[in-house]
Amino acid sequence: MKIKALGMALLGASLLAACGGDPAPAQPEPEQLPPSSFGQLSMLKPGELGTIEQKLKVNIVNIGYAATSPGQVTGARDLNFSSLRQELPATYKTINRYPSFYGNNELTGNNFTFDYNYVTAPKSFEDEFFAFLASSGKEDSLEKDGLTYLNIAAAAYNCQSADTTKVLKVLDRRPADLTPLYACPEPAGNIAREITGNWEVDGAAVEKWLGDNASKLGIDPTQHTVFLINWYGRPDFKFHSYSHERAESVESDTKLDFGQRSSRRTVAWGGTPSENQASARRIWFYDQSANPDFWTNAWNVSNGDLDGDKVYDKRMLPVWEYGTRKASYAYGEKISADLGKVVRYVAVDLLFTPSALYRVALTPPDMPEHINVDLALEQGADAPVSASVIKPQLVEERLKVLNPFVKWSTSLRETALDGDVADAYKCFFPLPTDDACSPDYADPEGERFFQLAQAEIRQRAQAAPGQYQLTNYLFNDTNAKTPNQGLLGQAISDGVTGTQTLTLNFLTPGLSTAGYGFTDTVVHESGHHLSQSHPHDGYDSERDEDFGPSGDTAFVDVGDEVHSVMSYNNLSKTFGQFNLDAQYRYLTTAYLTNSNAILQLVRNSAKVPDVRGTVQQADQTFLLAQNAYQQRHYLDAADLAHRGYQQVLGAARAAGVPVEGYKWYDRIGQLSTEPLRVARKVNHMRPVKGPVQRPEETSAQREKRLAP
C-alpha cells in the first residue's frame, strides 16, 4: 500500500514537470568539512592560548582633596587628575610569574584595557562621609603625666623614631592588652605638625559605607573603585586611623587577635568578599590624611633608606607633609603623582588585575577534578597534639573557594620529626655546628628534603590516581635553638620549569609565643600553590617591571591593607574579593587554554569527526562564559568554562584520545652540585626589569609582621 502511494506521488511529480510545473526543491547537500576541521568556532582555537580581552572600568574618586583651580599652579596637596592620569597604565596582561622566571613571559590569557572614570565628590557627599567618620569612631589616645599616648606609628612620627627602649614611652593600659600606647616626650623639629590624637574607625565599616553610598556619585560599587580620601584641612578634622578588631583578625589556632596590635592600624582597606558573587563589591580606599601607618613606614619623614639596603625607599607621607619646607622626604613632591603611583602599583597591579604566582591549571592539560589537601605533620619531641596547631577541615573550607567546581578532601598524617626528614629539615636552618647537609647537592633551596618529598608525593599520587595531592609539610619544631628567624612558610617550585610542587610550613617555640599556629599559614602557602600572589609584590606588564616593597616602590606594602589571607598583617584569614576575582579569571582562561590543547591532541589523533558535534556545543558554553566574564560575573564565567572543558575532555576520551596531565615529580631529576642558573633571581624587593624570583620575606617585612 505504501509502495503504491509512493509510485503515484512520483508519477504526479513527473506529470507536473512535463506540463511546466515547478519540480520539488532539491535538498541541500550536507556540508562536507575536512577531516581536520571542527567547523566554525567562536572561542575554541586548537593549540592556542585561550584569551579574553576585557575593557575594565576603574573609578577613581576624590573625597576631600582640593582640585586645582583653572589657570592656577597645581599645589603640593592638590589632587589634579591630569597629573595623576600620567602615572596610570592603559593596559595589563597577566602572567604566570614563577614559570616566567625561566624564560619568556608565560601569559595567562587575561588581558585588560582600562577605562578610567574620574569623579570628585561634591561637598554634600564629603560632609556626609566625614560626619560618618566623626560619629562612628572612638578616641584611642590617652593623656597621662603631660604626655599624649598614641599608637606606635603616630608616636614614632612625632619623635621620628620607633625605638621604645630609648625614645618612646610605653604605656600598658591592661595586663592582657595587646595594644600598648606610646608617647613621644620631645617631638622632632622637622615634622610638619605634631599628631595629638588617634580617632579609630573600623576599616570594614568605612568600606561598607562607601559601597552603600557610591550610587550617590553615579558609581556602581561592583565596578573596580578606588576612593582617595583627605579629611585634613576641614574644621571637623580629627587625627585618625583605621582599626580591624573583628573575627577575621583572630588567629585560628592560638586565638590571638592581631587586630588589637598597635602596628595593625592602617590608612587603607577594601576587598571584603561578597556572599553573592553576582553583586560583589570591588572597593579599596586609601586615606593619606590618616595617621601614618607602621606597615609602610609612612611615619618616617627623615631617613631615606628604610630597609638598610643603601637605596632610597619611596614612601607616601601624611598629607600635611606635602608642601612643607622642613627637612622632610616629601619636600618638593606633589601628591597627585604619588596618588597616581598608588593607584597604578597597588590598586591596579596588585589588587584589581594581579598576575598569578603559579599556573592555576596545576596539571595541564588534564586539569584536576579532585584536590586532596595532604597535610604531613612532622612532630618534634614533646610537641603539642595536632588538634592544637592545625584544623584540617577549616583549611579545606577556606581553600575550596578557589575552585568550587571540583571535589575537595583533606588528609592528615602525623609522624615524628626524626631520621632522614629531620636531617633534611636541618638543612633549611642549620646551626653553626651542624653538618647535616650532603655536600653532593646544592642545598640552599632544601634539595635533600625535596628529593625525599618528591619520592613520597610520587607514591601517594600512584596510590590515589584520581586525586591531585596538594602537599603541605608542617614542621612542628620544639627546639628553641633552631635558627628559623621567624619564617612561617614557603611555596616551593620544581626549580626547573616554575611548576608548583609542595609547601613548607614552620612552627617553632618563638613563633608559637608570637601567636601563630599552622592553620592560617597553610591556607596562605596553599593559596600560593593554587596561584595567588602577595598583595605587596607583583608585576607591571606595561613596564615589564617586577616590583616589591623597596626602593622606588617601597610604598606598595600598603597593598597588605586589604582583606586577604595573602597579606602579611594577619588581619584576614580568608581570601578576599580581589583574590576571588583573579582566581576565577585565571580558571576561565585556563579551562579554555587546556581545552584548546586537548583539541590539538584530537587533531593529531585524526579523531576530529568523532568529537565535532560536542566541540561545537562546548564552544557555545565558552561563549556564555565569556559573556559572564565581561559582566564581571567571574564565578559564573569559571563555572561555565569548567563545563565547557569537561565537554571537550569527555569527548576526546570517548574517542580514544589519550590526555595526560603534567606530573612534575616524574619529569625532573636531582640537582647537581653545580648551581643551576636558570631562574632569574634577586635577593631584594626593589623593582627590576622582567619577572624575577624574590625572597619569600625580608628581615624588614618580618620585623613588621612580628611587631606589637
Side-chain angles (χ1 to χ4, degrees), residues 207-255:
E207 177 192 3
K208 184 178 184 304
W209 191 96
L210 291 169
D212 290 345
N213 291 274
S215 61
K216 297 176 182 178
L217 301 173
I219 288 173
D220 177 356
T222 71
Q223 296 171 345
H224 296 77
T225 303
V226 184
F227 288 93
L228 302 174
I229 298 168
N230 175 35
W231 197 357
Y232 184 72
R234 288 175 56 98
D236 56 354
F237 171 73
K238 294 176 180 288
F239 285 110
H240 63 288
S241 59
Y242 297 99
S243 61
H244 305 278
E245 295 183 43
R246 49 183 174 270
E248 269 284 330
S249 68
V250 177
E251 216 278 343
S252 298
D253 298 314
T254 67
K255 304 308 177 186

Side-chain angles (χ1 to χ4, degrees), residues 50-280:
T51 302
I52 297 180
E53 306 282 345
Q54 185 176 29
K55 187 173 184 179
L56 201 67
K57 188 171 185 178
V58 177
N59 301 303
I60 302 174
V61 184
N62 167 16
I63 305 179
Y65 285 98
T68 306
S69 297
Q72 289 293 315
V73 174
T74 300
R77 291 201 298 269
D78 291 355
L79 175 48
N80 185 300
F81 280 137
S82 295
S83 297
L84 182 147
R85 186 184 297 119
Q86 296 176 41
E87 299 290 338
L88 302 183
T91 63
Y92 194 99
K93 292 185 177 182
T94 63
I95 64 172
N96 293 316
R97 293 173 62 197
Y98 252 85
S100 298
F101 300 158
Y102 293 84
N104 294 330
N105 288 359
E106 184 175 293
L107 300 171
T108 69
N110 307 103
N111 299 340
F112 303 93
T113 300
F114 299 113
D115 175 20
Y116 296 106
N117 177 38
Y118 304 93
V119 178
T120 295
K123 187 176 184 303
S124 58
F125 187 93
E126 287 183 11
D127 291 343
E128 191 176 355
F129 174 67
F130 292 123
F132 165 75
L133 293 189
S135 63
S136 62
K138 64 177 182 179
E139 183 57 50
D140 200 50
S141 64
L142 190 148
E143 299 288 333
K144 185 175 181 180
D145 300 330
L147 294 177
T148 301
Y149 284 84
L150 307 160
N151 67 42
I152 188 170
Y157 168 81
N158 285 343
C159 265
Q160 286 303 290
S161 172
D163 189 340
T164 58
T165 61
K166 298 179 181 178
V167 181
L168 299 184
K169 299 291 184 182
V170 183
L171 177 65
D172 290 315
R173 291 174 290 182
R174 299 187 300 273
D177 197 342
L178 293 176
T179 317
L181 294 178
Y182 304 82
C184 173
E186 297 182 21
N190 67 326
I191 60 175
R193 62 173 300 176
E194 181 184 1
I195 295 174
T196 57
N198 183 42
W199 184 257
E200 288 197 350
V201 188
D202 181 77
V206 175
E207 177 192 3
K208 184 178 184 304
W209 191 96
L210 291 169
D212 290 345
N213 291 274
S215 61
K216 297 176 182 178
L217 301 173
I219 288 173
D220 177 356
T222 71
Q223 296 171 345
H224 296 77
T225 303
V226 184
F227 288 93
L228 302 174
I229 298 168
N230 175 35
W231 197 357
Y232 184 72
R234 288 175 56 98
D236 56 354
F237 171 73
K238 294 176 180 288
F239 285 110
H240 63 288
S241 59
Y242 297 99
S243 61
H244 305 278
E245 295 183 43
R246 49 183 174 270
E248 269 284 330
S249 68
V250 177
E251 216 278 343
S252 298
D253 298 314
T254 67
K255 304 308 177 186
L256 183 144
D257 187 353
F258 281 94
Q260 289 186 14
R261 293 193 169 184
S262 181
S263 57
R264 269 58 172 186
R265 273 43 186 169
T266 71
V267 300
W269 196 252
T272 300
S274 299
E275 291 185 9
N276 182 0
Q277 284 296 298
S279 57

